[in-house]
Amino acid sequence: MTIDPQTDADVPEPVAYRRALGGFATGVCVVTANTADGPLGVTINSFTSVSLEPRLVLWCMDEGSQRWKAFAGAERFSIHVLGADDRHMAARFARGDCVLRGDEYDRAGDGAPRLKHAITRLDCRTHQRLPMGDHMTIVGEVESFAAEGGDGLVFFRGRYGRIGEDGL
């Protein structure tokens, strides 16, 4: 047991640890992939750039997720950095309503489904899968990308917010 510094109440250590991690503001992304269940999406905030040459990025998937098997086995995926007005999409894919509707995405060739609304999109081929603790780290090689302007959606201490070129 530990003390939660926000509420001064005793809380289980895993809860306190999760809250501590929530003090790091992150961007919000949706990863999409073709799966045996059709095109699916999942909300993540565990995205980072790894290398500029070659172009590598990574994200992490909880092995306890119902979507773990589908995404951990995908050979191609697209990462979409969400805009500030896409909070509803982040919430939808976070809570498990993960099947993409035909009007929400397009695709290029045999690539992963690509959401029509994102401020950045990275189309990737799986480069490496690394089991770590209760998650799998998935490294992708970026094959193509697109970026648009607009404020970004962020997640901080369990809440969504926005950040733009002029700040918060």
Side-chain angles (χ1 to χ4, degrees):
M1 298 286 280
T2 188
I3 301 295
D4 179 348
Q6 291 183 323
T7 64
D8 247 3
D10 285 354
V11 295
E13 187 171 318
V15 173
Y17 181 62
R18 188 174 180 100
R19 286 183 183 163
L21 294 175
F24 180 67
T26 65
V28 181
C29 301
V30 169
V31 176
T32 58
N34 293 313
T35 74
D37 298 323
L40 300 181
V42 63
T43 300
I44 65 162
N45 65 352
S46 60
F47 164 76
T48 193
S49 170
V50 174
S51 170
L52 295 176
E53 189 56 44
R55 295 180 190 156
L56 299 175
V57 296
L58 71 76
W59 64 285
C60 300
M61 184 76 188
D62 182 349
E63 290 182 7
S65 169
Q66 293 178 345
R67 292 168 276 182
W68 180 83
K69 185 176 179 181
F71 281 93
E75 290 302 319
R76 285 197 158 131
F77 57 89
S78 290
I79 299 173
H80 307 82
V81 179
L82 297 185
D85 296 330
D86 290 325
R87 185 178 303 207
H88 65 284
M89 186 170 289
R92 175 182 150 208
F93 289 114
R95 68 175 181 263
D97 182 6
C98 56
V99 177
L100 294 173
R101 296 186 302 265
D103 63 339
E104 293 180 310
Y105 71 95
D106 59 24
R107 63 177 75 241
D110 62 348
R114 304 184 313 184
L115 297 177
K116 293 181 179 178
H117 302 284
I119 60 174
T120 298
R121 186 195 73 248
L122 305 162
D123 301 317
C124 303
R125 176 182 303 277
T126 298
H127 177 76
Q128 193 170 13
R129 295 175 183 92
L130 304 162
M132 294 189 176
D134 59 3
H135 279 64
M136 172 153 318
T137 299
I138 301 168
V139 180
E141 183 171 359
V142 179
E143 296 181 312
S144 64
F145 63 93
E148 298 180 12
D151 290 353
L153 184 64
V154 294
F155 195 70
F156 177 71
R157 297 201 191 272
R159 297 179 56 197
Y160 292 110
R162 72 186 307 133
I163 190 165
E165 293 177 7
D166 297 331
L168 300 175

